[in-house]
């Protein structure tokens, strides 16, 4: 008998989801994490000044409400979330900002001539967010459970992922809003995969909304870690695993590591064809990030942005597409796309009384060493004159530093693999069970497997469910709150 039944490597949201699922099935589970704390992409820390708490990676969680794992885990009963009235905002110079309210009709009304087109685009998607969540949270090779809903979703993705994306709207703001969401995928636009991201996330904006956890994203990781320990699991932090042979004997091992990390851990243990598949797995462009501690709220020129926890800066659809193409070509655009969050507009606990925090990513070429502070500051200042004067402190992290922070972020790619149509089908291999590796009992459960990037826990959850069936003959365990 081994000392444990199952081992998990990596305590990001996917690793934690896998460990919780295995422990809830009655297995003895040990989780190993290289960093000193659990969380991975869901950590919160004082990065700038004392009393200012910043999300290190993820900040806003549109993928959490429709996630089958988090629904089963009853996340909403464990973590206090606020669902803002405004899901995201998109300023344009010299005109009112685009505002995506949770209320689809209110959003459409603000869009004027393009309001009807926006409503027609998103009404069928936002009406069935859980069906869309189940489809986008599973490998694309599977037959969908709701083919009509998926067909409507797919037609919208094909439209917005092709040159036809210019046909639906007549004004600038609606296509800019949608492109700002598509750019979350970090890649050339238009494209099928970015369009899938846009339709999914923007659809959730009008359904579940884009929730923000009170106290920071760390609360999500802490809730999963607490549940794991409550069901007999052990967590060992500060321990980097460099070889599968370093792990204790176990009947199942789930790895929350990138495809490259899996190749390094397994080495020649894997077959030649599997090693070649992992070697061919491509990584995408990267992010660089700045966190700001502010003396007061961001002085937006458009006052409607002051209530928007999430904002996208980058200009029109054409301007965002151009800046993303510059990044893909290995260049740093002079006016880059910026994805930002001002969580203290809904969660004042993140900063001292009356003060605020801002979290902002920009896109850069993979491996970039650029300090993004000035370029991000300038982009925000363009829409919020006087923003510089509110800055009490800042902390920046380049793409190269992100790769050092988390080995899964190869070159600063926070998606653990390029988000392209080919790599959504083959992530990291073309298989209906992409979590299985050639080594019996070893499974990959990271964002290098479906459904790719985002805080949803589904990659680890699905790997763990397959391991339970494959190695223990067990079904899905009950994950809800113990009453």
């Amino acid at each position: 008998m081994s000392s444990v039944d199952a081992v998990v490597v990596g305590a990001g949201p996917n690793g934690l989801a896998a460990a919780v699922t295995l422990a809830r099935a009655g297995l003895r589970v040990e989780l190993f994490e290289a960093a000193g704390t659990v969380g991975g992409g869901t950590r919160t820390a004082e990065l700038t000044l004392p009393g200012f708490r910043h999300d290190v990676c993820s900040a806003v969680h549109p993928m959490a409400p429709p996630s089958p794992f988090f629904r089963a885990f009853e996340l909403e009963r464990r973590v206090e979330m606020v669902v803002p009235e405004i899901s995201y905002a998109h300023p344009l110079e010299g005109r009112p900002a685009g505002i995506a309210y949770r209320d689809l009709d209110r959003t459409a009304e603000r869009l004027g001539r393009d309001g009807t087109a926006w409503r027609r685009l998103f009404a069928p998607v936002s009406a069935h967010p859980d069906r869309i969540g189940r489809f986008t949270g599973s490998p694309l090779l599977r037959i969908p459970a709701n083919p009509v809903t998926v067909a409507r979703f797919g037609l919208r993705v094909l439209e917005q992922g092709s040159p036809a994306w210019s046909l639906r709207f007549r004004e600038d703001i609606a296509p800019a809003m949608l492109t700002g969401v598509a750019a979350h995928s970090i890649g050339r636009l238009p494209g099928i995969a970015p369009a899938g991201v846009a339709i999914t996330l923007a659809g959730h904006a009008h359904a579940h909304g884009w929730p923000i956890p009170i106290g920071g994203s760390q609360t999500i990781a802490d809730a999963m870690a607490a549940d794991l320990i409550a069901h007999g699991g052990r967590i060992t932090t500060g321990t980097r695993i460099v070889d599968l042979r370093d792990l204790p004997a176990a009947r199942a091992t789930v790895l929350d590591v990138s495809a490259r990390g899996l190749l390094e851990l397994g080495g020649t243990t894997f077959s030649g064809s599997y090693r070649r598949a992992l070697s061919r797995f491509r990584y995408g462009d990267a992010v660089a990030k700045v966190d700001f501690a502010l003396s007061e709220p961001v002085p937006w020129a458009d006052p409607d942005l002051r209530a928007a926890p999430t904002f996208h800066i980058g200009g029109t659809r054409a301007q965002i597409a151009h800046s993303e193409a510059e990044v893909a070509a290995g260049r740093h655009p002079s006016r880059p796309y910026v994805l930002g969050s001002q969580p203290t507009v809904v969660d004042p606990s993140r900063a001292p009384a009356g003060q605020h925090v801002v979290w902002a990513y920009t896109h850069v070429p993979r491996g970039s060493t650029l300090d993004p502070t000035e370029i991000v500051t300038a982009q925000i200042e363009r829409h919020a004159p006087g923003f510089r004067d509110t800055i009490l402190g800042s902390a920046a992290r380049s793409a190269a530093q992100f790769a050092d922070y988390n080995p899964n972020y190869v070159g600063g790619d926070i998606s653990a693999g390029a988000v392209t149509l080919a790599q959504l089908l083959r992530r990291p291999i073309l298989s209906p069970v992409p979590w299985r590796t050639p080594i019996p009992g070893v499974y990959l459960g990271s964002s290098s497997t479906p459904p790719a990037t985002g805080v949803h826990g589904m990659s680890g959850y699905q790997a763990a469910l397959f391991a339970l069936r494959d190695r223990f003959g067990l079904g899905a365990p009950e994950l809800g709150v113990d009453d």
Side-chain angles (χ1 to χ4, degrees):
M1 294 288 291
S2 63
S3 60
V4 292
D5 298 307
V7 169
V8 178
V9 176
N14 285 311
L16 286 164
V20 164
T21 303
L22 295 167
R24 282 298 198 107
L27 304 184
R28 295 163 296 175
V29 179
E30 183 154 10
L31 171 63
F32 291 93
E33 166 58 41
T37 59
V38 301
T42 49
R43 289 194 180 105
T44 305
E46 291 184 342
L47 300 177
T48 57
L49 300 171
F52 291 85
R53 292 184 56 76
H54 306 270
D55 287 321
V56 179
C57 296
S58 64
V60 185
H61 298 277
M63 301 294 286
S67 161
F69 168 72
F70 280 133
R71 287 170 63 84
F73 186 65
E74 297 184 319
L75 182 67
E76 77 285 353
R77 294 183 61 187
R78 302 169 187 268
V79 174
E80 184 182 1
M81 297 266 203
V82 59
V83 181
E85 182 181 359
I86 295 174
S87 294
Y88 60 92
H90 191 115
L92 285 177
E93 293 183 83
R95 69 195 85 179
I99 305 292
Y101 296 98
R102 185 174 177 187
D103 185 324
L104 176 59
D105 289 334
R106 186 178 178 187
T107 304
E109 181 179 354
R110 185 182 174 100
L111 287 172
R113 290 206 306 164
D114 281 334
T116 298
W118 187 273
R119 186 184 291 107
R120 287 175 177 166
L121 182 64
F122 286 110
V125 178
S126 60
H128 301 289
D130 298 335
R131 294 180 185 179
I132 298 298
R134 284 194 296 272
F135 172 69
T136 58
S138 302
L140 297 184
L141 292 180
R142 294 187 176 183
I143 297 173
N146 302 102
V148 174
T149 300
V150 170
R152 289 172 176 161
F153 172 80
L155 288 172
R156 285 156 173 76
V157 170
L158 288 173
E159 174 198 301
Q160 291 300 313
S162 70
W165 75 340
S166 63
L167 301 180
R168 180 175 290 265
F169 301 113
R170 293 178 288 177
E171 306 288 350
D172 284 340
I173 189 60
M177 288 170 61
L178 191 51
T179 308
V181 182
H184 283 228
S185 63
I186 317 176
R188 290 184 182 272
L189 302 168
I192 296 298
V197 170
I199 299 299
T200 300
L201 296 184
H204 291 332
H206 300 307
H208 296 293
W210 286 14
I212 294 176
I214 299 298
S217 293
Q218 183 73 50
T219 59
I220 298 175
D222 289 347
M224 289 193 280
D227 190 83
L228 172 61
I229 292 170
H231 290 86
R234 296 200 304 265
I235 300 174
T236 302
T237 57
T239 302
R240 185 177 297 279
I241 304 300
V242 298
D243 192 304
L244 290 177
R245 291 171 294 189
D246 295 337
L247 294 170
R251 290 177 63 187
T253 298
V254 178
L255 305 170
D256 181 8
V257 301
S258 71
R260 181 177 297 181
L262 176 63
L263 184 59
E264 292 170 352
L265 284 172
T268 57
T269 310
F270 294 126
S271 64
S273 61
Y274 192 75
R275 289 202 308 273
R276 287 190 295 273
L278 296 180
S279 299
R280 288 193 299 265
F281 191 74
R282 294 195 306 106
Y283 290 87
D285 290 312
V287 301
K289 178 172 176 275
V290 191
D291 287 285
F292 298 97
L294 306 182
S295 61
E296 58 188 79
V298 178
W300 296 107
D302 186 333
D304 287 345
L305 268 81
R306 296 172 190 173
T310 301
F311 58 87
H312 305 133
I313 292 175
T316 64
R317 166 168 276 183
Q319 289 168 332
I320 296 172
H322 173 73
S323 67
E324 293 298 281
E326 287 286 282
V327 172
R331 296 185 288 268
H332 294 92
S334 58
R335 291 193 175 190
Y337 168 82
V338 172
L339 165 58
S341 175
Q342 43 186 10
T344 37
V345 302
V346 292
D347 178 12
S349 72
R350 309 278 190 98
Q355 299 177 323
H356 288 263
V357 299
V358 163
W359 165 112
Y361 279 134
T362 189
H363 296 163
V364 295
R366 189 165 54 254
S368 168
T369 58
L370 174 75
D371 181 327
T373 304
E374 175 53 34
I375 200 165
V376 169
T377 301
Q379 282 291 79
I380 298 176
E381 177 86 15
R382 188 165 284 116
H383 300 280
F387 173 68
R388 291 179 187 275
D389 299 331
T390 71
I391 300 173
L392 299 173
S394 65
R397 182 170 278 159
S398 70
Q401 289 169 326
F402 261 113
D404 292 337
Y405 162 76
N406 189 333
N408 285 5
Y409 301 161
V410 177
D413 172 10
I414 58 172
S415 298
V419 180
T420 64
L421 179 59
Q423 287 204 165
L424 292 179
L425 290 167
R426 186 180 62 247
R427 196 168 186 92
I429 58 172
L430 190 66
S431 170
V433 284
W435 314 280
R436 180 169 53 191
T437 77
I439 302 175
V442 175
Y443 308 90
L444 181 61
S446 72
S447 293
S448 290
T449 69
T453 186
V455 178
H456 41 61
M458 287 301 296
S459 299
Y461 180 50
Q462 292 178 115
L465 289 179
F466 186 76
L468 287 173
R469 293 193 301 270
D470 192 38
R471 301 294 287 178
F472 302 96
L474 298 174
E478 171 61 45
L479 300 179
V481 174
D482 295 325
D483 291 319

